[in-house]
Amino acid sequence: MKRLPEKLLFYGTALVVCLMLDQHAAAQKTPRVRISINDAWKFFPGEAAGAERSDINDAGWQDVKIPHTWNAEDTVDDEPGYRRGAGWYRRELKFDASFRGKRIFVFFEGANQIADVFVNGTLAGRHVGGYTAFCFDVTDLLRIGGRNLLAVRIDNSHVKDIPPIDGDFNMYGGIYRDAWILATDSVHVKTTDAASSGIVIRTPRVSAETATVEIAGTIVNHSAKTRDVEIVNRLVGPDRRSAATLVSKVLLEPNAETSFKQTSKPIRKPALWSPDNPDLYTVTTTVREDRRVLDEVSNPLGFRWFRFDPENGFFLNGRQLKLRGTNRHQDHAGLGNATPDRLHVADLETIKNDGFNFLRLAHYPQDPSVLEAADRLGILIWEEIPIVNQIHVSAKFNENAKSMLREMIRQHRNHPSIIIWGYMNEVFLPVPKDHEVVRATVDLARELETICRTQDPTRATAIAFDWGARDLYNTSGLGDVPQVVGWNLYHGWYYETFDDLGKFLDDQHRRFPNRSIIVSEYGANGDRRVHAIAPRRFDSSIEWQQKFHEAYLPQLEGRSFIAGSAIWNQFDFGSEFRGETIPHINQKGMYTFDRQPKDVSFFYRASYSNEPVLHIATRDWSRRSGPRSQSIVVYSNAARVELFHNGASLGTRSVQKNKVSWPVNFVDGRNLLLAVTGSGARRVSDQAEVHFDQRATAGSIGVNSGSHTEVVDDAGMIWQAEATVETRGWSLVEKDSKPVETRRNILGTPDDPVYQTMREGEAEYHFDVPDGPYEIELRFVETKFMGSGERVFSVTANERRVLDRIDLIKEAGFFKYLSRTVTANASGGAGLRINLIAVKNLPIISGIRVKRIDR
Ligand code: GCB
Ligand code: CA
């Protein structure tokens, strides 16, 4: 098809008229159809020569449905790495006679990361980049009435020219978003402009009093005749009533594309879109010839305006609004990135319910259903392309980055929820040694910035920086490129202390008073199995995560120059190389990978939501041992709360910064907690239960050697903190031993937080238990010596050798867990004395558990 220069063709003056909807309600249905092709695929996990050809037999291939990834399992198993390479998908397509004369397209919402699409053996198109949609015209390759083969080769190999080349998330391979067939009349709204809707909607003037809408688009005439069509744009308001109808006539030259642009008359008192009131309009674009509808597409429209201000943050519709936000990755436990729309939408609903008004789609463009939900629910969006941690200096890298940016903007720009286009994240994370890399990065940023400003000057632009290269971001000039600077800050997690956060921000604001700042990430691990009365930085305890957020929030809220913030992260997400207490998972979520709320999510709900919130924050720690008196926290937005323990009031206390706590004296067994606020119709209550057992679980005492954390293991056994020795029936004689730990995956066990913390040296554990026979479980792992014979030790119980010259490498292997159960007798009231005895190098132990044998 020959391409004419894009032009505006109007008959006489542009006919822009406002008419009532019903006068234009065309009876005909649009010939455009969209058919899901998610089902009935064959999949081969690897390279398959000639797989695009129909004479290849795929009977032995796997039957799969889209969304699909081949990395859902190997990103969470004990084998390091996951398969990055090729995968083939095949499917039959059939079209009956009604498709004759139509244009037919294949439309993929996303596939990671290179897609080669073949129809009947011929390449229809290639798409590079894992997070944007693509659409190919396959009409001329199809046999209408016959059988057709659609074959897609996907490749998620690491390619240094394709962002992201690095990142703390999994680059799962596959066709992991919905796929469609589009069929249109030969005259249609363009479908192949970067897989966008072909329509651009703007509101050049908008206020509470009046607004004008500008609608532009491109119509393709794929027929051999000049066509005389009418473009009708109908605006339907949130009340489902027609707000305006724009009509213009356009002359379409044969085999050419023609652009149009319409501007509405002023629309009086438009319903404004905001997080509190996400009033959404729909624009339906109809192409008509005489009375016949040739094509129809719909787009969202929201009337809102905003600006960033370096001193006073962010303003929406003329009012200051703190962006109270969070970040989200698209993957889910068990599914990888093959997330169905239903779960995307559920995530956005969770975010809305927790009271957030802002979401950063880190670190890549997300599913269409995410943006639709954000428009509908009222969540302001920062969307970005995946340049993460570093660039690769090459022309191809730059080209790919630019096309990703263009695609993201074109595909999503009509969503009123979007306020920011981002294009780099922590791009100096490994601080470049070579100044050329710094220069190339800044040059690329300038080019990307220009693309944003020319493609869509109505949104702000942003880059997210990290603390490690903080000076370089400023001295290199990168900090002056975007309109908003994002800081990803982890004071009190990776470095420094909580209070240094505010100091850092104040210093930046003082030095760069003209910069708008968002704290685009902040967060800390939280593993629901790991607890501490005295939590420490980096221990992955739920309690440190709570402290972290409780300390951050007032610092962010208290600074009006901070436009907003976004938690890292709303949900735990997959990051294969990580080896903290939940290996392969980044566990900084407010929710687990399978979307269970952690107690800290209620701290945000109490802080941000307008609904009454009252939550006893002990769901994550419902089975406890250790000291009898422990603190129970309640998160609430009420002024005062009363707490009852097994029916007795512990008093009413006033809530400070959405938090209040009581010391509770636990009794063995069941402890019922009841929190109450308000009275009468305004009474709100919450109930939770703690099972307490000072001697830990069911007559057995477990000790988490070398750790101040209390852990519940996979079998439900409690491993008490070693650090808080009390009258709990056991004690530790440290001798020369000391705690050591690893932050790597322990192979073969889900009980990483027990094994990862160890005591090394000739320690003695004394269990003050009554006379009788006992079973003793000893847990070990070797994380230091790789060779057999390098560490050898024995274990005695009451001076009797229960493990003789054990060698963990020989018994289990490097980083492989080892659990040994032995028996011993306590007699003469002396309890059990368990000693580690060195033979070669120092002995080591991860956990020790003593259980009476019932006879
Ligand atoms: C960051 C990155 C993000 C990581 C996060 C973390 O700054 O932008 O991708 O996942 O830190 O958890 O370390
Ligand atoms: Ca341990």
Side-chain angles (χ1 to χ4, degrees):
M1 178 164 79
K2 93 175 183 278
R3 219 173 218 278
L4 290 187
E6 297 198 349
K7 56 188 164 182
L8 301 175
L9 283 176
F10 289 121
Y11 271 17
T13 54
L15 296 175
V16 180
V17 279
C18 298
L19 297 165
M20 288 309 290
L21 176 66
D22 50 358
Q23 285 177 263
H24 270 271
Q28 303 102 316
K29 274 183 47 196
T30 168
R32 179 183 287 232
V33 289
R34 195 171 83 138
I35 305 159
S36 168
I37 48 167
N38 279 356
D39 64 347
W41 289 83
K42 287 286 188 180
F43 171 67
F44 183 79
E47 197 55 273
E52 72 278 13
R53 297 200 320 258
S54 38
D55 56 339
I56 298 286
N57 185 354
D58 59 17
W61 292 21
Q62 297 169 34
D63 290 309
V64 301
K65 276 192 184 136
I66 285 167
H68 176 262
T69 175
W70 62 78
N71 294 122
E73 282 106 42
D74 65 356
T75 42
V76 287
D77 65 12
D78 268 348
E79 288 289 311
Y82 54 101
R83 190 175 79 81
R84 298 192 67 173
W88 276 92
Y89 295 82
R90 283 161 55 111
R91 187 191 197 281
E92 193 178 83
L93 297 177
K94 272 186 176 167
F95 299 94
D96 64 24
S98 71
F99 286 87
R100 229 172 275 283
K102 292 199 168 205
R103 297 312 296 181
I104 300 175
F105 307 86
V106 287
F107 187 100
F108 292 88
E109 291 180 1
N112 199 30
Q113 69 173 348
I114 298 176
D116 289 305
V117 179
F118 299 87
V119 171
N120 294 328
T122 304
L123 183 68
R126 159 173 279 211
H127 183 259
V128 173
Y131 306 94
T132 43
F134 49 99
C135 181
F136 300 132
D137 186 336
V138 295
T139 319
D140 299 337
L141 302 174
L142 290 171
R143 287 184 291 267
I144 302 297
R147 293 163 73 153
N148 299 278
L149 176 69
L150 173 61
V152 186
R153 181 185 182 275
I154 302 293
D155 196 328
N156 72 332
S157 303
H158 186 270
V159 179
K160 59 189 182 353
D161 290 321
I162 306 176
I165 53 171
D166 195 4
D168 179 20
F169 56 101
N170 297 329
M171 286 107 195
Y172 307 93
I175 307 179
Y176 72 95
R177 290 184 190 160
D178 298 330
W180 307 89
I181 291 291
L182 287 184
T184 68
D185 189 89
S186 59
V187 173
H188 55 268
V189 177
K190 189 170 181 180
T191 58
T192 52
D193 176 12
S196 72
S197 72
I199 302 292
V200 188
I201 301 168
R202 284 185 188 162
T203 49
R205 285 196 305 147
V206 51
S207 71
E209 291 309 310
T210 177
T212 52
V213 182
E214 186 187 279
I215 301 168
T218 305
I219 311 295
V220 176
N221 175 8
H222 219 294
S223 72
K225 287 190 227 138
T226 301
R227 310 286 285 268
D228 187 354
V229 300
E230 202 174 42
I231 314 267
V232 182
N233 274 300
R234 262 181 260 125
L235 278 60
V236 175
D239 55 2
R240 292 177 188 276
R241 301 198 17 206
S242 172
T245 301
L246 285 57
V247 183
S248 56
K249 292 204 173 252
V250 179
L251 195 65
L252 305 176
E253 293 193 16
N255 287 314
E257 301 178 6
T258 307
S259 298
F260 72 90
K261 192 189 230 171
Q262 300 175 333
T263 306
S264 75
K265 284 186 177 163
I267 295 170
R268 289 204 51 238
K269 296 220 183 294
L272 299 185
W273 185 97
S274 70
D276 280 345
N277 231 333
D279 274 338
L280 205 57
Y281 289 67
T282 306
V283 176
T284 304
T285 307
T286 308
V287 184
R288 297 199 311 207
E289 189 175 42
D290 304 324
R291 304 227 49 190
R292 204 163 69 90
V293 173
L294 300 180
D295 197 13
E296 195 166 277
V297 296
S298 287
N299 277 281
L301 161 66
F303 291 104
R304 89 281 182 274
W305 65 100
F306 64 87
R307 69 186 164 91
F308 284 90
D309 178 280
E311 203 53 51
N312 296 303
F314 177 76
F315 291 79
L316 181 72
N317 300 339
R319 289 214 207 116
Q320 192 174 24
L321 180 72
K322 192 85 161 178
L323 298 171
R324 294 167 155 176
T326 185
N327 282 271
R328 175 196 186 246
H329 269 295
Q330 66 188 0
D331 58 345
H332 276 243
L335 298 176
N337 60 351
T339 303
D341 285 358
R342 173 175 57 80
L343 296 182
H344 286 301
V345 173
D347 278 0
L348 276 272
E349 282 169 350
T350 297
I351 288 165
K352 182 71 183 181
N353 285 339
D354 283 349
F356 297 104
N357 60 22
F358 176 55
L359 172 63
R360 174 168 174 245
L361 300 179
H363 292 305
Y364 40 76
Q366 297 195 6
D367 193 273
S369 62
V370 170
L371 284 308
E372 281 160 27
D375 287 348
R376 177 173 57 83
L377 297 167
I379 303 172
L380 294 155
I381 297 285
W382 160 332
E383 190 169 38
E384 65 190 23
I385 57 161
I387 299 184
V388 182
N389 296 359
Q390 51 185 307
I391 67 158
H392 173 64
V393 182
S394 76
K396 272 196 183 155
F397 182 93
N398 289 5
E399 275 321 305
N400 286 328
K402 287 190 238 173
S403 85
M404 286 175 192
L405 185 61
R406 267 188 227 106
E407 288 178 359
M408 173 178 77
I409 294 174
R410 284 174 176 254
Q411 290 168 16
H412 292 163
R413 62 183 159 191
N414 291 334
H415 292 288
S417 51
I418 295 178
I419 53 170
I420 292 173
W421 299 124
Y423 50 78
M424 282 178 179
N425 179 73
E426 306 196 350
V427 74
F428 296 146
L429 186 69
V431 177
K433 291 184 195 73
D434 184 351
H435 188 72
E436 279 307 293
V437 177
V438 174
R439 217 178 43 100
T441 305
V442 178
D443 286 349
L444 175 58
R446 292 208 176 99
E447 285 190 68
L448 296 173
E449 179 71 17
T450 304
I451 288 177
C452 293
R453 304 269 182 112
T454 49
Q455 296 276 314
D456 180 12
T458 73
R459 266 48 177 237
T461 56
I463 306 185
F465 296 158
D466 67 287
W467 184 81
R470 58 199 174 280
D471 294 329
L472 186 57
Y473 289 114
N474 293 328
T475 56
S476 64
L478 198 61
D480 302 319
V481 180
Q483 294 167 318
V484 175
V485 160
W487 280 107
N488 299 346
L489 298 173
Y490 292 88
H491 296 87
W493 180 251
Y494 290 125
Y495 41 77
E496 301 206 315
T497 65
F498 300 148
D499 292 344
D500 296 318
L501 169 82
K503 291 182 198 149
F504 175 78
L505 290 168
D506 290 340
D507 181 56
Q508 288 294 316
H509 181 53
R510 189 181 48 75
R511 285 162 57 198
F512 306 97
N514 298 324
R515 263 187 209 169
S516 287
I517 298 179
I518 290 179
V519 175
S520 35
E521 289 180 22
Y522 66 101
N525 282 13
D527 180 337
R528 297 176 88 199
R529 304 167 302 171
V530 180
H531 297 282
I533 286 171
R536 295 183 197 157
R537 181 162 83 86
F538 232 92
D539 64 7
S540 292
S541 73
I542 283 293
E543 289 66 33
W544 187 263
Q545 188 185 35
Q546 292 179 350
K547 271 194 161 185
F548 179 100
H549 288 285
E550 289 163 15
Y552 265 58
L553 193 56
Q555 298 187 69
L556 298 168
E557 290 281 312
R559 287 176 168 77
S560 57
F561 67 89
I562 300 294
S565 55
I567 297 164
W568 193 261
N569 194 290
Q570 182 69 14
F571 307 105
D572 289 356
F573 59 91
S575 181
E576 196 276 337
F577 66 85
R578 278 192 176 263
E580 287 131 72
T581 59
I582 313 174
H584 317 301
I585 303 294
N586 185 312
Q587 43 182 307
K588 296 190 185 74
M590 301 290 108
Y591 288 71
T592 60
F593 200 18
D594 61 355
R595 275 47 179 175
Q596 303 302 311
K598 302 179 191 174
D599 285 325
V600 69
S601 68
F602 292 88
F603 170 64
Y604 280 98
R605 203 182 284 198
S607 307
Y608 286 168
S609 167
N610 299 324
E611 306 292 317
V613 176
L614 181 65
H615 178 82
I616 305 173
T618 190
R619 265 63 163 199
D620 293 337
W621 197 3
S622 57
R623 296 186 46 225
R624 302 184 181 216
S625 70
R628 264 194 202 288
S629 173
Q630 297 188 22
S631 161
I632 285 289
V633 169
V634 170
Y635 290 130
S636 181
N637 47 12
R640 294 167 68 74
V641 176
E642 184 170 12
L643 187 73
F644 296 85
H645 173 220
N646 288 340
S649 174
L650 302 184
T652 300
R653 297 193 166 192
S654 55
V655 180
Q656 307 284 333
K657 293 178 181 154
N658 303 108
K659 178 188 172 182
V660 53
S661 64
W662 289 259
V664 175
N665 263 315
F666 288 118
V667 296
D668 281 337
R670 197 162 163 257
N671 291 264
L672 194 66
L673 299 164
L674 172 69
V676 180
T677 182
S679 60
R682 307 234 316 270
R683 183 180 185 274
V684 182
S685 69
D686 185 38
Q687 236 185 65
E689 221 179 278
V690 172
H691 188 93
F692 182 80
D693 188 345
Q694 199 167 43
R695 293 218 136 200
T697 329
S700 92
I701 310 169
V703 177
N704 187 3
S705 301
S707 179
H708 66 287
T709 66
E710 177 170 298
V711 173
V712 180
D713 76 5
D714 204 46
M717 303 299 305
I718 295 180
W719 299 79
Q720 298 186 355
E722 195 186 56
T724 52
V725 186
E726 270 201 11
T727 52
R728 279 176 295 160
W730 65 274
S731 60
L732 163 73
V733 185
E734 292 188 44
K735 301 196 179 164
D736 281 337
S737 70
K738 60 176 190 330
V740 291
E741 66 179 314
T742 177
R743 286 190 193 120
R744 272 180 52 187
N745 183 15
I746 308 301
L747 304 173
T749 175
D751 296 336
D752 299 81
V754 176
Y755 286 98
Q756 287 173 332
T757 53
M758 299 159 271
R759 175 160 292 279
E760 191 174 40
E762 291 202 308
E764 175 180 295
Y765 289 90
H766 180 224
F767 291 85
D768 181 19
V769 289
D771 288 359
Y774 287 87
E775 169 188 290
I776 304 166
E777 185 194 355
L778 302 154
R779 293 188 164 192
F780 309 101
V781 64
E782 180 58 76
T783 64
K784 190 151 104 190
F785 299 107
M786 295 182 74
S788 162
E790 289 185 66
R791 187 204 301 270
V792 181
F793 58 95
S794 296
V795 179
T796 62
N798 290 347
E799 256 119 81
R800 191 173 61 86
R801 211 160 269 247
V802 287
L803 285 182
D804 190 27
R805 305 173 71 86
I806 192 160
D807 176 340
L808 303 178
I809 292 292
K810 206 159 91 195
E811 300 282 326
F814 199 47
F815 272 92
K816 291 221 175 91
Y817 90 102
L818 182 70
S819 160
R820 275 294 154 86
T821 302
V822 299
T823 55
N825 265 301
S827 60
L832 286 174
R833 211 168 280 281
I834 297 161
N835 286 78
L836 302 179
I837 296 162
V839 177
K840 174 103 185 273
N841 279 313
L842 293 174
I844 193 153
I845 190 159
S846 290
I848 176 165
R849 191 170 60 83
V850 167
K851 185 179 196 293
R852 191 179 166 95
I853 301 172
D854 291 317
R855 288 254 164 85

